[in-house]
Amino acid sequence: MMCFLTSNRSPPCWRSGCAKVPGRVRAALWTAAVLLLVAPLRGSADEDPHVSAAIKLHNGTLVVLHRSQADARDLLVHFHGAVETLRQAHLRTGSTAVLAVVNFPGLSSAYSQPIANDPELFERILRRAWDVSRPEGSAASDPHWRRVTLSCFSAGYGAVREILKTPEHFARVDAIVAADSIYAGLVEGAAERQVNPVQMQDYLRFARLAGEGRKTFVLAHSSQPTLYASTTETTDYLLRELGIARQPDGSLSTDELRQSSRASRGRFVVLGFEGNDAQAHLQHLRRIDLFWKMAAGE
């Protein structure tokens, strides 16, 4: 989920910077992180979509969800979150896309380091999702995904940021959905809080292409403050760099999520939500189907 640091480095996972946070806050965040990753699966393996056995990825897991009769060509790779929560969200979208859920034990650096240390990991995720989900009898052995969407919640942004650093991977990704999930360090020594631009450069490039209609980028954020650059601050950085203004908007509000603003250009869409606590943060995962559907053009 999150940790707390004000340097120009990427926010790590429960390292020394987190000791500055009051114990009550650390306990709440830790509990939320555990609940996300240990939520039990419900239902049987015969339900649609099928849920694969966990596939080992370094010290984490990949679980592939796919519909048994669908000749799916679209792939949604999500980083960080309980499989059952994401399965329910996927069902609500009605999508036939294959969903690959990747979880690593830890927070932001736990997601960035495996990608940074293993340049082939992203390609293996694409291949394993293809192998598990392709229809029986299919002759194609190499992944032929028509559309690849990266999705992340909370700490999962670390994986997405690393994937975008590789030009071939950047080109292969068609869409990004970030559900309260882009954090960054702050510029050291600055008189005021400033988002570290180095950590945002690939997100900015992707957002610019989405604004031109060449990619799709849906970014939703809560109003939860952090000692490092929060999701609100990183979003404001992108909007400021692109010269896009927010407008009041509550059209996507639900009982759990209270939307307050929207900004968009082309296929770059920003959705701002109220709420500055852990529950407001968690609701972005529980209702991530709203953002997935928007990224799919629904």
Side-chain angles (χ1 to χ4, degrees):
M1 189 177 300
M2 297 177 295
C3 51
F4 297 80
L5 188 71
T6 56
S7 76
N8 61 353
R9 297 184 299 169
S10 174
C13 298
W14 300 107
R15 294 199 302 221
S16 59
C18 299
K20 301 175 184 178
V21 183
R24 176 174 54 84
V25 177
R26 291 202 308 273
L29 293 175
W30 174 252
T31 299
V34 170
L35 288 175
L36 286 173
L37 298 177
V38 302
L41 292 176
R42 296 190 296 272
S44 70
D46 295 331
E47 287 184 344
D48 207 14
H50 290 307
V51 181
S52 78
I55 300 165
K56 185 173 177 58
L57 289 178
H58 289 265
N59 64 334
T61 59
L62 163 67
V63 175
V64 180
L65 295 81
H66 66 100
R67 299 186 186 279
S68 56
Q69 302 303 317
D71 184 13
R73 289 291 183 268
D74 296 342
L75 176 65
L76 173 60
V77 183
H78 177 84
F79 295 94
H80 196 61
V83 173
E84 175 60 17
T85 300
L86 293 160
R87 187 183 76 87
Q88 293 291 339
H90 192 43
L91 284 171
R92 288 194 295 271
T93 68
S95 172
T96 60
V98 174
L99 172 61
V101 180
V102 179
N103 279 304
F104 291 104
L107 303 179
S108 59
S109 63
Y111 283 86
S112 62
Q113 289 175 358
I115 305 291
N117 296 336
D118 184 354
E120 303 300 321
L121 182 56
F122 180 54
E123 287 294 335
R124 288 208 304 278
I125 292 171
L126 301 185
R127 178 177 293 277
R128 294 306 298 271
W130 179 266
D131 290 342
V132 170
S133 63
R134 64 178 175 166
E136 187 175 349
S138 173
S141 58
D142 293 327
H144 292 288
W145 297 113
R146 175 179 58 192
R147 177 180 170 87
V148 174
T149 298
L150 299 185
S151 170
C152 55
F153 166 69
S154 197
Y157 81 95
V160 175
R161 189 177 66 192
E162 289 301 319
I163 289 169
L164 295 180
K165 289 180 180 180
T166 301
E168 295 81 2
H169 296 165
F170 187 103
R172 190 161 193 180
V173 174
D174 300 285
I176 294 174
V177 175
D180 212 20
S181 186
I182 296 181
Y183 300 93
L186 297 169
V187 175
E188 289 185 345
E192 298 179 349
R193 290 173 63 93
Q194 296 181 25
V195 176
N196 184 342
V198 174
Q199 295 174 7
M200 296 296 297
Q201 60 187 3
D202 293 312
Y203 285 120
L204 177 59
R205 187 158 63 100
F206 203 94
R208 183 172 284 112
L209 291 174
E212 297 170 359
R214 298 162 61 187
K215 301 280 190 182
T216 299
F217 194 171
V218 175
L219 195 166
H221 69 88
S222 72
S223 300
Q224 188 177 36
T226 53
L227 295 183
Y228 49 88
S230 69
T231 53
T232 301
E233 290 172 303
T234 57
T235 300
D236 284 343
Y237 171 85
L238 294 176
L239 292 176
R240 184 167 57 251
E241 289 295 309
L242 296 174
I244 304 173
R246 293 179 185 266
Q247 301 296 331
D249 193 333
S251 59
L252 207 64
S253 293
T254 69
D255 290 341
E256 301 83 14
L257 280 170
R258 304 299 300 175
Q259 186 186 4
S260 58
S261 67
R262 177 188 174 105
S264 65
R265 174 183 293 164
R267 294 207 294 263
F268 177 47
V269 181
V270 168
L271 307 166
F273 291 87
E274 299 175 1
N276 58 9
D277 57 14
Q279 281 302 312
H281 179 63
L282 291 171
Q283 288 303 331
H284 283 72
L285 176 66
R286 293 169 180 152
R287 293 312 314 270
I288 198 169
D289 53 293
L290 298 173
F291 316 135
W292 286 347
K293 291 174 69 174
M294 184 171 291
E298 300 177 18

